[in-house]
Amino acid sequence: MELKQLTNVRLIDVGLSLSTKEEVIRHLVRKLDGEGNLYSAESFYQAVMEREALSPTGLEAGLAIPHGKSKAVKSAAFAVAKLARPIRDWESIDPSNEVELIFLLAIPEQEAGSTHLDLLAELAKRLARADYRKRLQQCRTAEELYRALDGEKAEAVAAPAGKTIVAVTACPAGIAHTYMAAEALEQAGREIGVAVFVEKQGANGIEDRHTEERLRKAEAAIFAADVAVKNEERFAHLPVYRTTVAAPLKDAKGVLLKALEKAEKEGKREYEPTKETMPERVSWQTEVKNAILTGISHIIPIIVAGGMILACAVLIAQAFGLQQVYDTENSWLWMLRKLGGNMLGTLMIPVLSAYMAYAIADKPALGPGFAAGIAATMINGGFLGGMLGGFLAGYFMKWLKKQLPPKGAFSGFISFWLYPVIGSLVVGALMLFVFGKPVAGLNNALLEWLNNLSGRNAIVLGAILGVMVSFDLGGPVNKAAYTFCIGAMASGNFIPYAAFASVKMVSAFSVTAATLLFKRYFEEYEREVGKSTWILGLAGITEGAIPFMINDPLRVIPSLCIGSAVTGAIVTASQIGLNVPGAGIFSLFVLQGAPLWKAGVIWLGAALIGALISTVLLVATRVQKLKAQQR
């Protein structure tokens, strides 16, 4: 971006004699107003001062970048002041900073995140370079400073041949500090002879993602971040030095030296590529599966919290005879009930769609994904509509990013206006006017089928779910059953998940019972496995039985599946429901469909019956195997 496009000589003052931050900002606001960039100078001034109250805009080396986005701004622009005497009390990242060069950015509210992002990022990159700062600070006239803004282009500098460090920078806003910290680390690396490669995790998603080769060669990693680092598992083989995003702005060399010191002490392990290293190479089947699981993983906390709040409201009403309070609008118990209900009924589907889309096309797909989920809720599309909306939003945005990549001066406009607006309109329209009736019809048919399950049909469904849960103990078949049960829960039918949760205990209980009660038939390592699987079973974790299964899958898998089928059939036939996933044994307190004691006896009893059957089969098949080996 050419910085000169958003300013002119009349917006630049050199040798200005002002002594406070407020005076400087008011002076620059008047400059912008005089050039016709503002509707209201006072409103914009208030917007800038509100931003000043959030975090320091003073940086280091005499720099400050105050800014504000407001409806009072007609067109994006910036004004510059170079002071005759520095201001010592301007709040800055570097406490010793004495501000003498100020850039005031004026951004229209409708361009927040577009011009705002690009301009800040470009300024941050340039001002982080000592040579660029020095050139601006040496200017003696406004004309000279104006020419110096774009007078020299930054040339690519070859990485030195010494040690290599990979870094990630990220700040809450994902704008100025993210880019300035990156530039500071790279510049410091050049000065001390270390190759520093920085991945920016900012408002545009992940930029300059580290390659597999770079991660393999690196000696250490630096996380200069005030938010969680994405895909952190890529750096598992490296010593990681963690610090704030502001630290490189104060002492980038010191940060690098501390990282190298940590690398010297700890050393690095052998690099093992992860699926996150080159995400663009995954097959579409894997991408679809990952999108579904990402969406589900993000709605689980919502379902758990919403379900527990709703269950607590019901239990309080029943335990203390407060049913009238529970039903009275705007009462405290009614409000708790509505809170839990809205988390399940209003929030869940949009979050599912948004994060499925995010898994496919990153941050630009979040807005369209939420729009698709809201549309799915409007048409009563339920879980199926939410999944369809997530796929539509994800793949449409992936296509749009290829057709119209965010490059050049309009990259911010494309990323933060065109992508979300066009994506939301297109995907929302498709959901509402094209797929609405078919999806709603399919969802209602599925829900009606689930609600009408009884007798033989319910038993068959429960048995199938039981087999799927224990067939691969947390693998793809298990995950398919899980997805179906969560979808049924999202549509208001809680019976399948109750069966799923009960069956998850069968494999763990049966392995423990078989190996501890019939020790002579099992190896020492199998008995060791059995000692802990029952605890994992109480937590709803099936994977604990995998080591036992791997050694003899042809006998163990059918044994576990038969007992699990019986458990699933008992629960679904009894019409017991569960609307809180992942609660393990604590599910006993939130079961539905019968009085709590009765529901608990059926649900836990079904798991114990299934475990007893699987235990008998595990022992019988093991005895048969041992006899066959002795012949």
Side-chain angles (χ1 to χ4, degrees):
M1 172 180 280
E2 291 281 333
L3 297 181
K4 289 188 289 189
Q5 293 178 1
L6 296 179
T7 192
N8 59 55
V9 175
R10 295 181 299 279
L11 288 173
I12 299 174
D13 271 319
V14 173
L16 194 63
S17 295
L18 295 173
S19 57
T20 68
K21 175 176 72 173
E22 289 74 14
E23 288 177 347
V24 174
I25 291 176
R26 279 203 179 275
H27 176 82
L28 294 178
V29 167
R30 286 195 295 269
K31 285 274 188 180
L32 290 164
D33 188 42
E35 287 298 301
N37 295 111
L38 305 178
Y39 292 112
S40 168
E42 185 59 31
S43 295
F44 177 62
Y45 174 77
Q46 293 300 327
V48 174
M49 297 311 294
E50 287 173 9
R51 171 61 188 84
E52 287 293 309
L54 296 177
S55 61
T57 56
L59 302 173
E60 54 145 9
L63 299 174
I65 311 180
H67 51 281
K69 50 181 181 281
S70 169
K71 293 179 181 178
V73 180
K74 291 182 184 179
S75 57
F78 69 89
V80 186
K82 185 172 178 293
L83 303 179
R85 292 179 303 278
I87 297 175
R88 293 178 171 80
D89 59 354
W90 193 305
E91 296 86 353
S92 301
I93 291 174
D94 181 357
S96 63
N97 188 34
E98 297 182 0
V99 172
E100 60 179 347
L101 183 61
I102 302 101
F103 288 77
L104 174 63
L105 281 63
I107 309 299
E109 192 170 84
Q110 64 270 22
E111 292 184 35
S114 54
T115 306
H116 189 234
L117 171 64
D118 284 347
L119 185 54
L120 273 175
E122 185 64 24
L123 275 174
K125 290 176 183 177
R126 296 191 189 186
L127 292 173
R129 300 201 312 269
D131 58 331
Y132 185 80
R133 293 196 305 267
K134 185 177 180 181
R135 187 169 73 249
L136 295 184
Q137 289 166 339
Q138 288 177 342
C139 294
R140 299 189 177 186
T141 65
E143 291 79 4
E144 189 179 350
L145 198 152
Y146 177 72
R147 290 194 301 270
L149 287 172
D150 299 305
E152 295 181 18
K153 304 297 181 183
E155 297 181 2
V157 179
K163 294 184 177 181
T164 297
I165 290 179
V166 291
V168 175
T169 58
C171 65
I175 307 174
H177 295 160
T178 298
Y179 294 92
M180 289 198 75
E183 190 72 22
L185 287 171
E186 290 171 353
Q187 178 66 30
R190 289 191 285 267
E191 292 176 12
I192 66 174
V194 174
V196 179
F197 299 95
V198 185
E199 175 179 293
K200 279 79 74 178
Q201 297 188 1
N204 257 338
I206 297 178
E207 298 180 56
D208 302 320
R209 179 187 286 270
H210 291 308
T211 63
E212 186 175 332
E213 179 183 4
R214 191 183 293 170
L215 291 168
R216 181 179 285 108
K217 288 182 178 180
E219 303 292 332
I222 295 171
F223 291 169
D226 292 339
V227 294
V229 172
K230 297 176 184 175
N231 307 147
E232 189 174 323
E233 62 273 16
R234 293 174 295 160
F235 306 90
H237 64 295
L238 294 173
V240 177
Y241 177 69
R242 298 174 185 269
T243 187
T244 65
V245 73
L249 302 180
K250 300 175 185 176
D251 183 14
K253 289 182 184 178
V255 170
L256 293 180
L257 292 175
K258 288 176 182 176
L260 290 172
E261 182 181 351
K262 191 166 187 179
E264 189 71 25
K265 289 180 179 178
E266 298 180 9
K268 68 176 184 177
R269 296 185 293 277
E270 184 177 351
Y271 173 68
E272 295 180 6
T274 69
K275 64 181 181 179
E276 300 294 345
T277 306
M278 297 294 287
E280 67 274 9
R281 293 182 180 176
V282 299
S283 65
W284 71 269
Q285 296 97 326
T286 302
E287 188 173 58
V288 166
K289 182 190 77 172
N290 290 343
I292 294 172
L293 294 179
T294 299
I296 290 175
S297 71
H298 280 83
I299 65 171
I300 291 303
I302 296 171
I303 297 174
V304 172
M308 287 302 296
I309 291 171
L310 195 56
C312 285
V314 173
L315 289 174
I316 291 171
Q318 293 177 350
F320 299 99
L322 299 174
Q323 190 61 43
Q324 185 176 356
V325 179
Y326 180 82
D327 294 328
T328 302
E329 187 172 349
N330 293 327
S331 69
W332 67 272
L333 201 51
W334 184 89
M335 296 291 280
L336 281 179
R337 165 191 169 190
K338 294 298 290 183
L339 174 62
N342 283 331
M343 289 183 74
L344 293 172
T346 304
L347 191 58
M348 181 170 55
I349 298 302
V351 170
L352 171 72
S353 299
Y355 282 96
M356 284 180 62
Y358 172 78
I360 295 170
D362 212 341
K363 275 188 179 180
L366 275 175
F370 276 111
I374 292 170
T377 303
M378 292 170 62
I379 62 174
N380 295 318
F383 192 80
L384 293 179
M387 289 180 64
L388 176 62
F391 285 129
L392 280 175
Y395 282 109
F396 177 74
M397 292 308 300
K398 191 173 183 178
W399 173 83
L400 188 61
K401 286 167 68 178
K402 280 187 178 179
Q403 300 302 313
L404 195 62
K407 294 181 179 179
F410 292 99
S411 60
F413 172 79
I414 292 171
S415 295
F416 289 91
W417 191 91
L418 191 144
Y419 281 170
V421 172
I422 299 300
S424 298
L425 281 173
V426 170
V427 175
L430 287 173
M431 288 296 296
L432 291 172
F433 306 120
V434 179
F435 299 106
K437 289 184 178 179
V439 172
L442 183 60
N443 184 70
N444 290 334
L446 175 62
L447 186 57
E448 185 177 354
W449 175 71
L450 287 171
N451 290 334
N452 291 332
L453 279 176
S454 60
R456 182 181 301 175
N457 290 334
I459 291 172
V460 170
L461 174 64
I464 292 173
L465 287 174
V467 171
M468 293 177 71
V469 171
S470 294
F471 179 78
D472 55 359
L473 301 176
V477 178
N478 177 290
K479 288 293 190 295
Y482 176 66
T483 302
F484 173 80
C485 295
I486 290 293
M489 182 187 293
S491 297
N493 190 294
F494 308 129
I495 295 172
Y497 194 85
F500 180 87
S502 183
V503 170
K504 286 201 292 182
M505 294 185 284
V506 171
S507 58
F509 289 177
S510 57
V511 167
T512 294
T515 55
L516 296 187
L517 298 177
F518 302 90
K519 294 181 180 181
R520 65 183 183 277
Y521 299 123
F522 297 95
E523 300 290 340
E524 178 64 28
Y525 79 91
E526 291 174 318
R527 295 197 291 270
E528 288 298 318
V529 169
K531 289 179 181 179
S532 60
T533 52
W534 71 276
I535 300 176
L536 297 175
L538 290 176
I541 299 172
T542 60
E543 285 82 351
I546 289 177
F548 188 86
M549 180 186 72
I550 289 175
N551 192 47
D552 193 10
L554 294 180
R555 291 179 176 84
V556 172
I557 292 176
S559 300
L560 297 180
C561 287
I562 292 171
S564 299
V566 172
T567 296
I570 292 173
V571 176
T572 52
S574 303
Q575 301 289 293
I576 301 299
L578 178 63
N579 68 342
V580 181
I585 193 64
F586 296 104
S587 300
L588 282 169
F589 302 105
V590 289
L591 294 167
Q592 302 177 356
L596 199 57
W597 68 268
K598 182 179 179 181
V601 169
I602 295 172
W603 184 79
L604 183 58
L608 295 175
I609 291 171
L612 176 61
I613 294 171
S614 290
T615 299
V616 171
L617 292 173
L618 286 172
V619 175
T621 54
R622 177 55 62 95
V623 171
Q624 181 188 42
K625 177 184 177 180
L626 294 175
K627 286 181 178 179
Q629 291 175 345
Q630 292 172 357
R631 291 173 186 168

